Amino acid sequence: MIIDSLKFILSIVPFIAQGLTVTLQISLTGFVLGMVLGVFFGLGRISSNIVYHTISSIYVEVIRGTPLFVQILIIYFGLPSLGINLDPITAGILALGINSGAYQAEILRAGIQSIPIEQLNSALSLGMTKTQAMIYVILPQAIRVVIPALVNELVILVKDSALVSVIGVAELTRRGEYVVAWSWRPFKVYSAVAALYFIVCFTLSKASKYLEEKLSIPGYMTRKGM
């Protein structure tokens, strides 16, 4: 029986593993989009410009205060009522990117605020503008501090990407659902799906730990710590 189960799992792995490519595609693309949004709104969170600061704060609080699942539904099923129609993959990437951007904004904000104010003052005393000081002095140091946290955010995004299966994206979880539909072996199929997620997330987690040790960072921010 065990041998039969292993044969079955090995026979379906190539099919469901094709969904892993889609999972990584939407996760990485969503992460990059989230990074762009994170930098923009993260800087806004510490900006002295009241409008910029307010908009950034609203974005971060609203996105972090609502479920990603609901955000996916709004983007895919809600936007068409406004005349905006997106295919499932684009909608999934957009939802993941917007959601991750709010968390990355807080990660970056915390990283920037961890840099001693003397660094900024020194740059200003050398004739730099505040923008130049932020770009050339503060941000490079902050990014070094938050790299492990960003890797951790990517791990979370890979796991959260399973939610886009609800809008028909044929990623890893959706592929597993296809197999369950004709095989009626949910435990074995979803165990294989979970194993593939684990391999990816475990590898990324180890990379995060390596970066943490390599950069000599005593600890880093995660979603739970924000």
Side-chain angles (χ1 to χ4, degrees), residues 78-85:
L79 290 183
S81 64
L82 302 177
I84 304 174
N85 295 283

Side-chain angles (χ1 to χ4, degrees), residues 5 44 48 60 141-142 170 206 215 225:
S5 297
S48 58
V60 170
Q141 297 182 71
K206 283 298 181 181
L215 298 174

